[in-house]
């Protein structure tokens, strides 16, 4: 039997087209309660900042990072990935993770890779392969708040920063190119 021969049922046909947004919890507020502020994430991100076209100054980079962060955390699926990492961190601190001793959790032993996988998934969800490369950069150097966080939190926050940072550079360069094209067009019209 082929998969195409199987008749599917629409079990979700009576669901509403939009979700209610009342009584939702903000992931940035949850992160703040865990000791991770937006300011700390910005500081960590900009500690590895490199000027690029469209991101010539730290001020421009900070504004664009904040804009990209806001866009990223507007996605409930991303927020649930981040929240999963927060819950794993809480369970680890309580010594409640399955098949991992509290000592193994505390020492962040290399055989535990679920934290890395979650960080990579978050960065890739936000910005594809570019986000994963940025995650690795932040994960290796652990700037700012990342050096202070536990085994799961450093990777989920690093994944968030990496994905948002990759988008920041991409968007900055794209907007600079767009601005140059508009300037060139206006110059051509004036000169012509």
């Amino acid at each position: 039997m082929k998969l195409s021969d199987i008749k599917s049922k629409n079990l979700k046909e009576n669901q509403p087209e939009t979700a209610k947004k009342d009584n939702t919890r903000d992931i940035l507020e949850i992160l703040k309660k865990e000791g991770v502020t937006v300011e700390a994430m910005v500081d960590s991100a900009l500690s590895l900042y490199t000027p690029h076209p469209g991101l010539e100054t730290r001020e421009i980079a900070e504004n664009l990072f904040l804009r990209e962060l806001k866009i990223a955390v507007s996605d409930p699926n991303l927020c649930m990935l981040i929240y999963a990492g927060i819950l794993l961190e809480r369970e680890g601190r309580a010594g409640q993770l399955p098949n991992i001793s509290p000592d193994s959790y505390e020492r962040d032993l290399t055989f535990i890779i679920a934290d890395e996988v979650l960080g990579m998934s978050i960065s890739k969800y936000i910005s594809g392969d570019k986000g994963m490369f940025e995650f690795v950069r932040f994960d290796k150097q652990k700037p700012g708040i990342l050096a202070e966080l536990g085994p799961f939190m450093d990777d989920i926050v690093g994944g968030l920063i990496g994905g948002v940072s990759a988008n920041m550079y991409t968007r900055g360069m794209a907007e600079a190119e767009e601005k140059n094209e508009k300037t060139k067009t206006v110059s051509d019209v004036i000169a012509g």
Side-chain angles (χ1 to χ4, degrees):
M1 174 186 286
K2 296 180 189 175
L3 285 176
S4 59
D5 292 338
I6 299 172
K7 296 192 189 254
S8 63
K9 296 178 185 177
N10 185 358
L11 300 176
K12 298 182 179 187
E13 65 186 45
N14 294 326
Q15 289 189 1
E17 298 215 5
T18 58
K20 292 181 180 180
K21 292 194 177 196
D22 56 336
N23 201 22
T24 61
R25 298 173 63 203
D26 179 38
I27 195 64
L28 294 177
E29 285 299 316
I30 294 169
L31 282 167
K32 186 177 180 180
K33 287 179 183 174
E34 296 295 319
V36 180
T37 64
V38 169
E39 294 80 16
M41 288 189 283
V42 169
D43 288 344
S44 294
L46 294 183
S47 68
L48 299 184
Y49 159 75
T50 304
H52 274 67
L55 296 170
E56 292 83 6
T57 68
R58 287 179 66 88
E59 182 181 355
I60 294 169
E62 180 176 340
N63 289 333
L64 197 47
F65 182 88
L66 289 168
R67 191 171 94 197
E68 291 299 321
L69 178 63
K70 183 177 179 181
I71 292 167
V73 298
S74 70
D75 184 331
N77 293 294
L78 174 66
C79 294
M80 286 186 272
L81 285 170
I82 295 167
Y83 193 62
I86 292 169
L87 294 177
L88 287 165
E89 183 75 29
R90 289 177 184 170
E91 290 295 299
R93 283 193 307 254
Q96 298 297 310
L97 290 173
N99 294 9
I100 297 174
S101 70
D103 181 60
S104 293
Y105 162 79
E106 286 296 326
R107 295 190 316 162
D108 194 10
L109 297 178
T110 56
F111 74 88
I112 301 170
I113 62 165
D115 52 340
E116 306 290 331
V117 171
L118 192 51
M120 292 170 85
S121 296
I122 289 168
S123 63
K124 188 169 185 174
Y125 186 86
I126 297 169
S127 191
D129 290 335
K130 292 183 288 187
M132 281 182 40
F133 280 106
E134 279 291 279
F135 166 72
V136 169
R137 198 165 74 102
F138 283 97
D139 190 46
K140 286 183 181 215
Q141 296 189 28
K142 298 215 186 301
I145 189 78
L146 297 180
E148 302 169 21
L149 299 173
F152 281 93
M153 288 297 288
D154 70 339
D155 290 313
I156 65 164
V157 174
L160 179 58
I161 291 171
V164 170
S165 180
N167 279 353
M168 171 189 77
Y169 285 107
T170 299
R171 183 104 50 208
M173 291 191 319
E175 288 177 357
E177 180 64 31
E178 186 177 294
K179 186 177 178 181
N180 286 340
E181 288 297 318
K182 285 181 182 177
T183 304
K184 185 178 176 183
T185 303
V186 169
S187 298
D188 291 346
V189 169
I190 293 171

